[in-house]
Amino acid sequence: MNNKHNEDFNTALNIYEKEYSHENLINLLKNGSVVEKQAAVLKINAITTQEEAEILISNLTGCDGKIREAVSFRLKEFIPGNPKFYVGFQDTLLDAVIDINGNICRNVLCAIYSLKNYPEFYIDFCQKLCAKTEESIEKVKSFDIQDGKYKINKAVFKLYWYLETIYEFCTFIEKNTLIKILSQTKDINDYTIREKTAKILSKIHDDKDLLTIKQELKNDRNYYVRRY
């Protein structure tokens, strides 16, 4: 194990210290080992083409956590630099906002803020986001005391991050859909879900049904929910 650790360290150090062309770094990101991909994405200065963006995004899900976190970290820089490269990656970005690593979720949410100006991104993204949120609500509501704690926590974690994403994109979500979602999440036992519900409602000032839910949560038993 120590030999493998030393080998990985030396590989990363070699990439950081030596001069690699942009093309070579992209090739490492496409075909390299875990440590090579991680080091390459941290050293790349820019994503300059649609093809490079696809290679980058392909390493955001379904691979080692070290790579996913490095990619998500750089996305905060790369997406604002060329937003149009990323408008077609709704499905991958939706998977990334519920990554098991909360740092990745936060990084991706921060990165996709720049895509709010692109209807070709947010229309499809929000429709899929709401559908996935409703599926998660049904799963969380279906759990009972016999279900394993890990299983429950995993489902709540996903719903938590879907709601955090809705908070960022709620202005693009149809009011009836928002009412349908929040009228259910306000009653979920886990206070973090009710807290996210209240946080979303903190942006609402002009809809009677949503304001009713908002007022109800003002009387919630949990301080972190009431504070909104």
Side-chain angles (χ1 to χ4, degrees):
M1 182 63 71
N2 286 337
N3 288 339
K4 180 64 167 62
H5 177 79
N6 290 337
E7 182 181 333
D8 287 348
F9 176 81
N10 290 331
T11 298
L13 187 63
N14 177 65
I15 294 172
Y16 290 133
E17 289 187 340
K18 287 189 176 181
E19 288 298 322
Y20 279 74
S21 69
H22 180 78
E23 291 73 18
N24 283 340
L25 290 171
I26 292 295
N27 187 57
L28 283 176
L29 182 57
K30 183 177 181 180
N31 301 308
S33 65
V34 169
V35 68
E36 286 172 337
K37 288 186 174 188
Q38 182 187 23
V41 76
L42 292 173
K43 190 165 184 178
I44 290 170
N45 289 322
I47 295 297
T48 60
T49 68
Q50 182 69 49
E51 181 182 1
E52 291 176 3
E54 290 171 3
I55 293 169
L56 179 71
I57 290 292
S58 72
N59 286 287
L60 183 60
T61 60
C63 58
D64 188 273
K66 297 183 185 70
I67 302 171
R68 301 197 315 273
E69 185 162 6
V71 170
S72 73
F73 177 75
R74 296 310 303 279
L75 279 177
K76 294 187 294 181
E77 175 185 350
F78 292 147
I79 289 183
N82 286 292
K84 288 189 175 181
F85 287 165
Y86 303 90
V87 296
F89 297 121
Q90 292 94 333
D91 291 331
T92 302
L93 292 168
L94 270 173
D95 286 341
V97 296
I98 55 164
D99 193 284
I100 194 170
N101 181 334
N103 289 330
I104 295 173
C105 305
R106 292 184 192 91
N107 288 340
V108 172
L109 267 181
C110 180
I112 63 177
Y113 189 88
S114 300
L115 297 174
K116 289 183 176 182
N117 296 323
Y118 295 87
E120 60 268 42
F121 173 79
Y122 67 69
I123 291 175
D124 183 58
F125 180 82
C126 288
Q127 288 175 347
K128 291 177 176 177
L129 168 63
C130 291
K132 287 180 177 291
T133 303
E134 291 183 44
E135 289 175 9
S136 288
I137 290 169
E138 291 306 312
K139 288 182 180 178
V140 171
K141 286 168 60 179
S142 71
F143 288 134
D144 61 38
I145 196 66
Q146 302 301 319
D147 289 303
K149 187 174 181 181
Y150 172 77
K151 184 178 179 182
I152 295 171
N153 287 347
K154 185 176 180 181
V156 169
F157 179 88
K158 288 183 178 181
L159 181 54
Y160 174 99
W161 283 105
Y162 281 142
L163 291 173
E164 184 70 8
T165 308
I166 286 176
Y167 172 78
E168 295 295 342
F169 286 86
C170 65
T171 54
F172 306 117
I173 296 174
E174 201 270 329
K175 285 288 178 66
N176 287 337
T177 301
L178 204 55
I179 291 169
K180 182 180 179 182
I181 289 171
L182 300 184
S183 63
Q184 297 180 83
T185 57
K186 74 179 178 64
D187 293 324
I188 287 177
N189 189 48
D190 190 287
Y191 85 88
T192 65
I193 299 303
R194 302 197 310 278
E195 180 186 4
K196 288 301 170 190
T197 303
K199 183 178 179 181
I200 294 167
L201 289 164
S202 70
K203 287 188 170 183
I204 305 300
H205 306 288
D206 59 356
D207 183 274
K208 180 181 178 181
D209 292 318
L210 289 172
L211 289 174
T212 298
I213 300 172
K214 182 178 181 178
Q215 185 57 43
E216 183 177 339
L217 291 176
K218 288 286 187 184
N219 299 313
D220 192 271
R221 61 187 180 278
N222 186 281
Y223 164 76
Y224 292 102
V225 180
R226 295 196 305 270
R227 64 179 174 158
Y228 287 105

